[in-house]
Amino acid sequence: RGGAEGMRTRWSVSGDREAGLAFQGVTTDPELARAPLLLLDVGGGSTQFILGQGERTHFAHSFQFGSVRLLEKFPHSDPPTRAEFTACRDWIKKFLHDEVRPGLEPALRQESGFKPGEIQLVGTGGTTSILARIELKLDRYDRERMETTRLSLEQVKARRKQLWSLPLAERKKIIGLPKLRADVILPGVLIYEAVMEEFGFKLLRVSTRGLRFAAVMD
């Protein structure tokens, strides 16, 4: 489908299962097992928003924008120019406002029944794992340490500024950032920053227990 409707896709039957598994994986963490959560999973071609608590999900949408898709939509110089950054950021902000907010905001306010400030934003997937590794200066994958990571909006913003200011060769030298992901991390971190700003989240919690974790445990 074309147009705005083509950019937004409701879960199919298999999608419902996928959303359930992703949420199930994250909530195997005892600290998150009963907490109200907004799970955000930024992939290459799509981004998933799943709102729920315990075994119940109140909202689950997959939106057709992701780190690879945006990298292709907004090619940039090396290093990126200010105008290139602005174009990508403004598109994400408009998409969140026009396409994501109309469905997610009522769910956050009404369907969940949660009080403001109680919902935790949890990021799972490659982008947040990388951000945790960079923050901790990890040259290898360390689930236990990565899952202790909490990133404030100020930290995410500072990291985005750093990454967008560097040429690819310099980004590849950053400890914790896999060389093959040094390109797609740019739109990835920008999506998280934009979501936090759009919906008023001050803290991003990192989880490594997404879809694959649940599938193994299932």
Side-chain angles (χ1 to χ4, degrees):
R1 293 178 297 170
E5 282 300 312
M7 295 296 291
R8 182 173 62 189
T9 304
R10 283 194 173 272
W11 291 106
S12 63
V13 173
S14 60
D16 285 331
R17 178 62 173 160
E18 184 177 354
L21 281 173
F23 204 82
Q24 177 187 331
V26 168
T27 54
T28 58
D29 183 337
E31 292 186 15
L32 300 176
R34 302 302 306 170
L37 309 174
L38 175 61
L39 177 60
L40 181 60
D41 186 351
V42 176
S46 63
T47 294
Q48 301 174 5
F49 292 76
I50 308 167
L51 174 69
Q53 182 175 22
E55 297 179 356
R56 291 188 59 198
T57 55
H58 305 273
F59 178 93
H61 270 121
S62 179
F63 295 90
Q64 299 307 299
F65 76 111
S67 56
V68 175
R69 192 183 293 263
L70 287 177
L71 194 64
E72 294 171 348
K73 185 177 181 67
F74 296 99
H76 56 73
S77 307
D78 189 27
T81 66
R82 179 69 187 181
E84 290 164 347
F85 160 73
T86 300
C88 187
R89 179 201 62 191
D90 289 353
W91 188 93
I92 294 171
K93 290 176 67 174
K94 186 176 189 304
F95 187 90
L96 290 174
H97 186 272
D98 294 349
E99 299 295 326
V100 181
R101 178 176 282 277
L104 180 57
E105 186 174 45
L108 288 169
R109 289 184 174 180
Q110 301 170 11
E111 293 178 22
S112 64
F114 302 145
K115 296 179 181 178
E118 286 188 351
I119 302 171
Q120 294 187 59
L121 178 65
V122 179
T124 187
T127 298
T128 46
S129 292
I130 291 170
L131 293 177
R133 286 180 58 178
I134 295 174
E135 190 69 24
L136 298 170
K137 295 181 170 57
L138 294 175
D139 58 5
R140 61 184 179 82
Y141 194 90
D142 187 333
R143 179 189 302 278
E144 188 172 331
R145 291 189 63 192
M146 290 161 63
E147 292 214 334
T148 67
T149 307
R150 311 288 186 274
L151 298 171
S152 67
L153 175 58
E154 291 73 22
Q155 286 174 299
V156 173
K157 189 183 296 289
R159 188 64 66 196
R160 183 269 301 163
K161 288 180 179 178
Q162 176 205 22
L163 292 168
W164 276 82
S165 70
L166 296 174
L168 180 62
E170 291 301 311
R171 294 198 301 274
K172 288 182 176 181
K173 297 177 183 178
I174 297 175
I175 298 173
L177 174 54
K179 290 179 173 58
L180 293 177
R181 301 298 298 276
D183 52 357
V184 295
I185 191 62
L186 296 185
V189 67
L190 189 50
I191 291 172
Y192 274 97
E193 179 190 8
V195 169
M196 293 177 78
E197 289 184 332
E198 180 71 24
F199 296 102
F201 287 100
K202 301 300 183 184
L203 195 67
L204 171 65
R205 178 168 182 157
V206 176
S207 174
T208 65
R209 308 180 184 217
L211 178 62
R212 292 179 183 177
F213 189 90
V216 171
M217 299 295 291
D218 195 33

